[in-house]
Amino acid sequence: LARMSHGAYATLSAARFACSLGLESNEMQDPNEFGRLLFDRMHESFQSNDKLKNLLPDLFRGTMRYTTTCQGCGYVSTREEQFMDVTLSISDRGSVDGYLEEYLCVERLKGDNQYFCTRCNVKQE
């Protein structure tokens, strides 16, 4: 970025950087895919250094707890899943807090997405 801002050229080729990540320079990546790939490659390269081995997981890993409540009998099912990133739907207006609130809001499972309750032995909303 410094070369682009203060150097003789307004653009910079990303071909060497893409090659170092194992990408073809003409291969398209969406931002989420690229971010995950970059973190994976960084994490792999840190494994030979004991001080850096867990740097990215220590900084970015979290645990999401999913709770599903049967509307028929009230049975609560919970599962946890680790994550390194969260994909938020972003619009022209709003805030990160608002996007996170939307991401974490309660969702009713309807139609083909209904929850199969092991206590009721039937699909429920």
Side-chain angles (χ1 to χ4, degrees):
L1 290 176
R3 285 185 189 163
M4 291 172 63
S5 296
H6 304 290
Y9 303 101
T11 61
L12 188 64
S13 172
R16 285 180 39 201
F17 182 61
C19 183
S20 73
L21 293 175
L23 297 173
E24 296 294 326
S25 60
N26 61 352
E27 186 177 344
M28 297 291 290
Q29 296 281 327
D30 72 25
N32 290 352
E33 283 180 272
F34 178 76
R36 286 185 188 117
L37 177 67
L38 179 60
F39 271 42
D40 287 346
R41 295 295 193 275
M42 289 171 61
H43 183 67
E44 289 168 9
S45 73
F46 293 165
Q47 295 311 294
S48 60
N49 183 321
D50 286 338
K51 290 181 181 181
L52 298 177
K53 194 176 229 177
N54 293 313
L55 177 66
L56 295 177
D58 288 349
L59 289 173
F60 296 102
R61 182 176 43 214
T63 303
M64 180 77 72
R65 179 176 293 137
Y66 295 93
T67 303
T68 306
T69 305
C70 176
Q71 298 301 303
C73 70
Y75 175 72
V76 177
S77 171
T78 303
R79 70 179 172 87
E80 292 185 351
E81 189 175 299
Q82 290 189 343
F83 65 92
M84 292 282 285
D85 61 9
V86 177
T87 302
L88 303 176
S89 296
I90 296 177
S91 61
D92 291 343
R93 298 179 187 189
S95 66
V96 173
D97 289 340
Y99 302 138
L100 283 170
E101 189 175 313
E102 184 179 326
Y103 180 81
L104 297 170
C105 74
V106 174
E107 178 183 2
R108 289 186 73 80
L109 303 175
K110 298 179 180 182
D112 291 341
N113 292 326
Q114 286 182 320
Y115 167 70
F116 182 81
C117 179
T118 55
R119 184 174 284 168
C120 295
N121 220 21
V122 68
K123 284 190 169 188
Q124 297 281 357
E125 283 189 10

